[in-house]
Amino acid sequence: MTALPYVDGNMLDGPLGEVFAVDLSSATARCANCGTPGPVAGLRVYSHAPGLVGRCPTCVEVMLRLVRAPDRAWLDLRGATFLQFPMPPDRPR
Ligand SMILES: [Zn+2]
């Protein structure tokens, strides 16, 4: 049995949790290459690159990159046409 070179997108919870105030574990992203929407938790995450690389499980194109330095982070989402996540209901003003 050969080990996969990636892990699933659940491992992004901690690193992306540092960047976003919302919980992305139940977020949906759509691939800019093939148009397939799916859960962020379903991405193939390669952690052996400089930073984390999340690839589409359908076409394997890069959907996101996250590089973390001690005092800053770079988030590249150009491979995703959108990121949709649940929010608490908007309160009447
Ligand atoms: Zn794709």
Side-chain angles (χ1 to χ4, degrees):
M1 186 169 138
T2 305
L4 296 173
Y6 58 85
V7 295
D8 72 47
N10 284 308
M11 73 83 60
L12 292 171
D13 287 353
L16 286 178
E18 282 190 299
V19 178
F20 290 98
V22 295
D23 177 13
L24 291 181
S25 61
S26 55
T28 298
R30 185 169 69 192
C31 176
N33 184 59
C34 73
T36 303
V40 171
L43 296 180
R44 294 181 180 184
V45 179
Y46 294 79
S47 58
H48 302 296
L52 302 172
V53 176
R55 291 182 174 270
C56 173
T58 302
C59 72
V60 200
E61 279 297 313
V62 174
M63 290 179 65
L64 72 82
R65 296 177 181 90
L66 177 64
V67 176
R68 179 74 160 88
D71 63 343
R72 64 196 71 209
W74 291 262
L75 177 61
D76 177 351
L77 287 169
R78 79 182 95 169
T81 57
F82 67 74
L83 193 59
Q84 176 193 68
F85 37 87
M87 296 289 289
D90 197 15
R91 288 184 229 135
R93 297 181 186 141

